[in-house]
Every structure is written in structure tokens, then in C-alpha cells.
Amino acid sequence: MSKCVCVIAEYRGGNFRRVTHEVASEGRRIADALGVPLQAVAVGSGVAEKAAELGRYGVEKVFVADDPALEGYIAETHTPIVADLVQKCDPAVVIMPASVDGKDLGARLSARLLAGLVQDSTEIVVENGKIKAKKPIYAGKCYCWNEWADGEMPLISCRPNVMGCLAPDESKSAQVDKVEVTLPEARSSVKSLELDTSGRVGLSGAETIVSGGRGLKEAGNFSLLEDLAQVLDAAVGASRAAVDSGWRPHADQVGQTGKVVNPNLYIAVGISGAIQHLAGMGSSKYIVAVNKDADAPIFTKADYGIVEDLFQFMPVFVEELKKYKSSCS
Ligand SMILES: Cc1cc2nc3c(=O)[nH]c(=O)nc-3n(C[C@H](O)[C@H](O)[C@H](O)COP(=O)(O)OP(=O)(O)OC[C@H]3O[C@@H](n4cnc5c(N)ncnc54)[C@H](O)[C@@H]3O)c2cc1C
């Protein structure tokens, strides 16, 4: 019989990622609605030392696999170990991050656990003791609600930055159950060597994103966005047109065939607002657009619009922000 809600934690660079706190908080809410305990699964190198911290977000017990070989996500190594730990939890429902790694892991777990997967969910509810999960479809033009047949286990990945975090209760800690695992034999030559963030803020969990499009005209002009990003401690993103032009790497692309982001503030500079771009950023809390064409579709989504030549506007905007910041400090 199913006994708990299980959340899958994402651990990187010695810490749980913010999205782990979000799924734990959502897990707590669901567990309370179902009247069952909340447990977690955490896999990584050095994760055992930190696992009790998940108690601050309502997790009661954490099953941990800790091994230096688990530094960095490798699908073939992580999938069987996470699946084993999830089975130890014997969950009624599994909730996990819809991060880049989480989406990959989710699909693999779904096959292994024979669980129905809803990826990139933005809302989960419990109705009459049954789970329902909402997710965007058709590039964000509509939403659909999903439910599971009796006896089927829901596996839900949650879009980062959508589900709110509980205020951490520092007095609470989770019970940690360290499980000895046998690492699967390497079936590929992939090894995770090093995590190089080069001091840049990552797009997926960023609170603020400054994105540029074809209007920037050439790669070098992205320095205008990097200046702004530095002032705002933001990540830099790009439209597909900018990526296809070779101005930015594909990892920076926001949209239907890039990353789905959900920051508090998204500043779109020289981006028209094609539906495929909106699919990746349309749920941002505040959208600011800078575009010289007052009829650009991005303005239909924007909370604040600046109809201006970006080459005139951006340097002045950055200078004024710098002055404002130094007057505050
Ligand atoms: C299957 C499919 C998947 C796709 N996936 C994605 C995706 O993931 N992400 C994505 O972004 N796109 C995606 N696209 C492409 C999408 O349809 C658009 O072509 C693309 O988003 C356009 O990028 P853009 O807004 O930078 O360029 P444009 O549409 O060319 O817009 C440039 C804008 O810059 C403005 N501008 C120009 N000069 C200035 C200036 N000096 N000052 C101020 N503004 C200026 C213009 O007014 C214009 O609005 C996809 C398309 C398909 C068919």
C-alpha cells in the first residue's frame, strides 16, 4: 500500500538547489492534503551531511545515496539508484524538479517505475483524495489538467520558480537514512569531470533574466546585456534568432526549443515576441520589453514596454541603474 509523498532532491556543488526547496514545500502541502508523511530521496557526493536540512521545508525522512562517483548527474548512474530509493519510500506520489536534469531523469524513472509522468507541471491539487496536475501545452497557449487511473502512481516534475517555498523552519531537521548502493557498471564513456559555471548566473533558476534577440544585430552587442546583467545580478538569455546566428550558445536559448524559464523579472531586448519565444518566458512574473517597433507582439505580454532604439536606450539605462545602486549603498 502506498504510504507517503516522495520528493526527489537535486543537489549540486555542495548544496540543494532552490528548486528542491520548492518541490519539498509543494510535497508538504500535498502530504498534508493526503494525510501521509513526506519523505525525500537525495543522491550525490557529500549529500548525506546536508540531507537533514530538508526538514526545514517539511521533509520528515530522507533516503540518501552518497558516493564521490555521484558528483554530477549522469543518467545511467543516477536513474537506477534514484529508482531504488524511491521504491524504498513506497510513495503514493513522486514530485521532482523539472530542471534540465530533472526532465531527463523523470522520463527514465517513469519507464522504470511504470509511473505516469506529467512533466513541467505548474500546479498540483488534491481532489477527493486524488492527485491532479496542471501543465502548459501547445507552446503555452493552453493548459491541461491530468489525473491518474486508480492504482497508478503519479510522477510529476514541477516547473522551477512557480511553486512557492515555505519559510524555512530552522528548528526542524529530517531523519537521514543512508543507504548503501551498488553503483551500476559504467555503460558509457561519459564522466562528469567538473562543473564550470564561470561565475555566470544559470538561466533555469535565475530570479532576473536579460535576453537579447536579432535586434542586437551582432554578437558583440550582447555586451550591452551583460553590463545590465552584472548590475542586476541577472542571467543572460537569447532568442533562437540570436542563437541561430551564432551570437550565443544554444544553452542560452529561451523558448519552445530552448529553456523554459520563470524568473521574477524578464527583460526582452530586441526580441519580437514570437509564440515560440513566449512559450519559454510567458509565465515570468514581470516582463519588460525594449523594442523600437510599437506593434511588436512582445508588448502584448509585457508589463512595461519601452518603445526605443535599444542602442540609444540600453547604455543610458545601465548608467542610471548604476548610479541608483551606488546611491543606495
Ligand atoms: C519549431 C520552432 C521552434 C522555435 N523555437 C524557438 C525558441 O525556442 N526560442 C525562440 O526565441 N524562438 C524560437 N523559434 C523562432 C521564432 O519563431 C522566431 O523566429 C524568433 O523567436 C525570432 O527571434 P527574435 O525575436 O530575436 O527576432 P525577430 O523576430 O527578427 O525580432 C527582432 C526584433 O528586434 C526589434 N529591433 C530591431 N532593431 C532594434 C533596435 N535597434 N532597437 C530595438 N528593437 C529593435 C525588431 O523590431 C524586432 O521586433 C522557433 C520557431 C519554430 C518554427
Side-chain angles (χ1 to χ4, degrees), residues 14-25:
N15 284 303
F16 289 109
R17 301 187 70 205
R18 183 189 146 85
V19 66
T20 298
H21 301 152
E22 292 168 9
V23 292
S25 303

Side-chain angles (χ1 to χ4, degrees), residues 105-129:
L105 177 65
R108 291 165 189 272
L109 285 178
S110 164
R112 251 178 203 261
L113 300 170
L114 298 178
L117 171 66
V118 169
Q119 290 273 39
D120 208 25
S121 175
T122 52
E123 194 178 341
I124 306 172
V125 296
V126 178
E127 276 177 14
N128 302 323

Side-chain angles (χ1 to χ4, degrees), residues 212-217 238-244 247 250 253-259 266 269-280 290-299 306-313:
R214 198 179 342 243
L216 279 151
K217 309 269 188 276
S239 71
R240 177 159 162 182
V243 170
D244 285 351
W247 304 342
H250 181 258
Q253 185 179 314
V254 172
Q256 188 181 328
T257 43
K259 292 207 169 86
Y266 188 90
V269 182
I271 292 178
S272 59
I275 185 73
Q276 297 88 355
H277 189 79
L278 299 178
V290 183
N291 198 305
K292 67 179 183 184
D293 175 7
D295 294 326
I298 190 77
F299 288 125
I306 296 118
V307 182
E308 209 25 289
D309 185 315
L310 72 92
F311 297 103
Q312 307 282 321
F313 175 75

Side-chain angles (χ1 to χ4, degrees), residues 3 63 170 217 219:
K3 297 181 192 75
F63 290 93
E170 306 290 335
K217 309 269 188 276

